[in-house]
Structures are given as C-alpha cells and as structure tokens.
Amino acid sequence: MSSQRLLAFGLRFYVVVFFAYLFLPLLVMGAATFNDSRFPTVTPWDGTTLRWFGELAADGGMWQALTNSLIVAVGVLVVAVPIGIATALFLNTVSSRAKPFLYALILSPLLTPGVIIGISTLIFWRQFGVSGGIFLTVLGQATFIAAYVMLMVTARLQRFDRTMERAALDLGASQWQMFRRILLPYLKPAIYSAAVIAFLQSFENYNTTLFVVGYDTTLTVYIASKVRTGLTPAVNALGLILILFTVVLAVAYEVKRRREAAGAVKGV
C-alpha cells in the first residue's frame, strides 16, 4: 500500500508541476498587462492600470499584422486541408511497396527546418515573378501544414470499416455518393480537428513566414520586430484577449458537447 500511495502521490505531484509549468507563464503575462511599467514585467509593480488596452487599440500596425495572420491562416486552411484529405485518401488506396516511400516523402516537409522551406519557396516562386507577400506565405506554410492534416485524416481512416464502402458500391452508389454520404461524415471529426490544428500552426508560424512574407507583416513577425525595437505591455494585452477568447470558445464547445451527449442519452 505504501508503494501505491507513493506512486499516486508522485503522479499527482507531476500533474501539478506540469500544469504549473504550462499556465504560470500565461498568468504572469496576463498580470503584466495591468502593470503601469512601460516594460512587460510584474516586478517591480509600478501600479495597476488599464492604459495598455488603450495602447493596443491605438496600435494600427499590430491590428494590421493580426489581420494578415488571420488572412494567411484562412488561406492555409483552403489550400492545406483539401490537399491533406486527398493525400490521406490516396495513401489509403495504395497497397504496393511504394507506400512507405510515398508516406515518408509526404512527411518530409515536417522534418525540414522552416527556414529552409521559407528560403526555397521564395527562390522557386521568384523564377515565376512572384515576390514575397501573403500569397507566398500561404503557399510556404501549406507545404508542411498539409502533412499535419494528412496524418490526422489517415489515423481516422485506419479505423474505417471498408465493408461499408463496398456495400454502398454494390448497392449502386457511385464513388462520389459513397464519399459524400458515408466516408465524409465519418471523417468529419478528424477534418475539423485537422482544420483547427492547421489554423493554429499557421497563426503561430514564424520561421517560414519570415522569409516569404515580404513587405507584409504577420503578428509573429511584428512581435519579433517589436522585441528588437522595444516591446510594451500592449502585446500582453493582445495575448490576454486571445487567451480569454480561446477559453470562451473551449467552454462553449464543451457545454454544447455535453448538451448533445445528454440529448442522445435521453433519446435512447
């Protein structure tokens, strides 16, 4: 019993330390938003203020950078999600010895440093007269983010019962009807999850974006430039708003999920 209690205590202690490591920096960042110091810090505490939210509202460059990041993230979704789904479906039909090679080839962008992807994307598209900007940023990010989508959809496909597909085709359904009515509904949870991951990967990307964004500026590049020239707690204010927005969305999703689960139980 003593060894079991010691193990249970060790697991609880590890969980506490893990979550403290995870969330304490966010709490410190949020607290620095209300410090009157012109530097993003909590020590020394120069007084409580809300002026950094006003500074954030007046920072047109930061809002433009945030808008560019959102545009790029949506563009990456439009490009990377269909490519990732199509690649997963293609690999699911390949049964030859070439499948491991194709799988490794598609995953290779994930193993390539973002700096290399950014530079190679810029050099390649310049041959066709395409300079850096939002369009090139979308293409550069999509080259490796599509692999994340492919992995998540492939994991879902591996649990798909292929007899349902064959039964639909035997009953006269076309390939498109089978995909739209059977396979696509089954893949929806993985597609939604992959889309969220792709959006977040694009939104926080820096290494690839830095070389292909050109004269446009995304939020990560803007903040990095501010670190060199002088960072103010206005960045903390934006971070705090994004955290609260994320928490609200997560709570709303969880409430919706529990209500649907309760409704399904009552229906049974």
Side-chain angles (χ1 to χ4, degrees), residues 132-188:
I134 290 179
F135 175 74
L136 206 59
T137 304
V138 170
L139 295 182
Q141 291 185 4
T143 56
F144 67 92
I145 291 178
Y148 287 107
V149 179
M150 184 272 295
L151 285 174
M152 300 187 71
V153 176
T154 299
R156 181 75 172 173
L157 274 174
Q158 290 177 349
R159 299 191 297 271
F160 179 65
D161 186 2
R162 299 297 297 271
T163 59
M164 297 175 61
E165 177 182 337
R166 290 191 290 269
L169 296 175
D170 290 341
L171 291 173
S174 64
Q175 288 285 351
W176 169 245
Q177 289 175 324
M178 184 279 300
F179 174 77
R180 183 170 58 89
R181 297 185 178 182
I182 297 178
L183 190 55
L184 185 60
Y186 178 80
L187 293 178
K188 274 186 179 180

Side-chain angles (χ1 to χ4, degrees), residues 222-232:
Y222 180 83
I223 292 176
S225 65
K226 282 292 213 178
V227 170
R228 293 190 293 267
T229 59
L231 198 63
T232 69

Side-chain angles (χ1 to χ4, degrees), residues 244-262:
L244 293 177
F245 181 71
T246 304
V247 170
V248 169
L249 287 181
V251 171
Y253 172 78
E254 183 64 19
V255 170
K256 179 177 179 295
R257 186 189 66 82
R258 292 191 178 188
R259 286 180 179 177
E260 291 178 349

Side-chain angles (χ1 to χ4, degrees), residues 25-57 62 232-244:
L26 299 179
L27 294 176
V28 172
M29 185 208 69
T33 306
F34 304 98
N35 190 3
D36 201 23
S37 171
R38 65 188 184 93
F39 300 106
T41 181
V42 294
T43 55
W45 189 265
D46 294 338
T48 303
T49 182
L50 296 176
R51 73 184 181 102
W52 299 116
F53 290 97
E55 294 282 344
L56 172 64
M62 186 177 296
T232 69
V235 174
N236 296 58
L238 178 61
L240 182 61
I241 292 173
L242 292 177
I243 291 172
L244 293 177

Side-chain angles (χ1 to χ4, degrees), residues 27-148:
L27 294 176
V28 172
M29 185 208 69
T33 306
F34 304 98
N35 190 3
D36 201 23
S37 171
R38 65 188 184 93
F39 300 106
T41 181
V42 294
T43 55
W45 189 265
D46 294 338
T48 303
T49 182
L50 296 176
R51 73 184 181 102
W52 299 116
F53 290 97
E55 294 282 344
L56 172 64
D59 193 340
M62 186 177 296
W63 288 110
Q64 183 60 51
L66 176 61
T67 302
N68 289 341
S69 291
L70 293 175
I71 293 174
V72 169
V74 172
V76 169
L77 287 181
V78 173
V79 175
V81 173
I83 292 177
I85 295 173
T87 305
L89 293 174
F90 169 72
L91 288 177
N92 193 52
T93 60
V94 175
S95 57
S96 64
R97 294 181 179 179
K99 184 174 182 178
F101 171 76
L102 293 174
Y103 190 79
L105 181 64
I106 295 168
L107 289 182
S108 60
L110 293 180
L111 306 177
T112 306
V115 174
I116 303 301
I117 293 177
I119 294 175
S120 59
T121 301
L122 182 63
I123 293 175
F124 175 80
W125 285 99
R126 272 188 174 175
Q127 308 303 314
F128 302 95
V130 181
S131 58
I134 290 179
F135 175 74
L136 206 59
T137 304
V138 170
L139 295 182
Q141 291 185 4
T143 56
F144 67 92
I145 291 178
Y148 287 107

Side-chain angles (χ1 to χ4, degrees), residues 198-220:
F199 183 90
L200 295 177
Q201 284 288 328
S202 171
F203 191 82
E204 59 96 27
N205 181 263
Y206 175 75
N207 291 337
T208 301
T209 304
L210 180 64
F211 291 93
V212 294
V213 74
Y215 292 107
D216 296 316
T217 304
T218 60
L219 186 61
T220 53

